[in-house]
Amino acid sequence: MNSSTTRIPAAEVTGVYGAMVKMFAKKMMGRVPESVGVLWNHPAVMKDAMGIGRKAEGWKELDRDLASYAAMAAAATIGCSFCLDFNYFMGHNHGLDANKIRQVPRWREATVFTPLERRVMEYAEAASQTPPAVTDELSDALLADLGPAALVELAARVAFMNMSARMNVALGIRSEEFADACGLPPLAERSALRDSAPTSA
């Protein structure tokens, strides 16, 4: 990604903490994303946001596949191409079914997902609306499916993705094509007009 497309110029990542950030990024993604330089304009914000993300990775009540689908469905709803690409790349690295995960942006039309997976993505999409549009019916169905701890985690993961995705979109941070670099097929395109009927019934 050309850093000139962002709304804030990238800063040079320096210092001991900066070196650690670059080392961590290279280990995880093979290179340092241009977006790191944008967030480096306020290292405390970047450090705290990354800290929340690392802590969220330690949550284990929600199945990892469901957590990934929920995060990507939220990112697709908000329109964060960076988040979609990054989570597609990370999902592949974690052994998720690449054919399924690439279909998340068009989950309503795709036939590869189970009813539970579809309810989780419906929840993520509804919770990412402004204002949130989660219904009692959908929440009750997922409470029965997942239990209270996993449902709390689902809500928290979607909320964290909303924070990250909305910040990236506002700053002009876009896809850096991690998935393309490792040979994954392109993500499916989200339909411009989608069926808004609930899937939880």
Side-chain angles (χ1 to χ4, degrees):
M1 180 185 76
N2 185 331
S3 59
S4 66
T5 64
T6 61
R7 292 179 173 138
I8 297 176
E12 183 181 358
V13 181
T14 59
V16 175
Y17 179 62
M20 292 173 58
V21 168
K22 290 190 286 187
M23 181 176 68
F24 178 76
K26 287 178 182 177
K27 182 178 180 181
M28 179 182 288
M29 295 166 275
R31 59 184 170 85
V32 179
E34 294 286 344
S35 57
V36 169
V38 175
L39 297 179
W40 191 253
N41 283 286
H42 195 320
V45 168
M46 185 180 72
K47 182 178 181 179
D48 290 345
M50 289 175 61
I52 296 170
R54 285 195 300 271
K55 288 181 178 179
E57 285 302 306
W59 300 341
K60 302 298 182 186
E61 294 295 334
L62 183 65
D63 174 81
R64 172 173 274 187
D65 287 19
L66 295 178
S68 294
Y69 298 151
M72 289 186 69
T77 302
I78 296 162
C80 180
S81 62
F82 178 93
C83 303
L84 280 168
D85 174 53
F86 178 73
N87 280 275
Y88 182 27
F89 168 78
M90 293 302 296
H92 169 72
N93 288 352
H94 289 152
L96 271 67
D97 185 332
N99 180 54
K100 289 182 78 168
I101 201 166
R102 70 177 294 269
Q103 294 292 331
V104 171
R106 60 179 301 275
W107 67 267
R108 288 179 179 273
E109 295 81 18
T111 59
V112 296
F113 297 107
T114 67
L116 174 57
E117 291 165 345
R118 294 174 66 81
R119 278 192 291 276
V120 164
M121 288 184 284
E122 181 183 358
Y123 184 96
E125 188 175 273
S128 300
Q129 302 293 325
T130 303
V134 175
T135 64
D136 290 343
E137 178 186 26
L138 178 56
S139 183
D140 289 347
L142 283 169
L143 182 60
D145 289 332
L146 303 173
L151 183 53
V152 168
E153 182 176 326
L154 173 59
R157 285 183 178 275
V158 171
F160 177 66
M161 176 52 69
N162 268 256
M163 184 195 83
S164 300
R166 291 175 188 274
M167 180 171 66
N168 287 341
V169 171
L171 294 174
I173 293 172
R174 299 177 178 84
S175 170
E176 299 193 25
E177 301 180 350
F178 298 115
D180 182 64
C182 62
L184 292 173
L187 279 163
E189 293 289 330
R190 182 175 168 85
S191 298
L193 295 174
R194 64 168 179 78
D195 178 11
S196 59
T199 62
S200 55

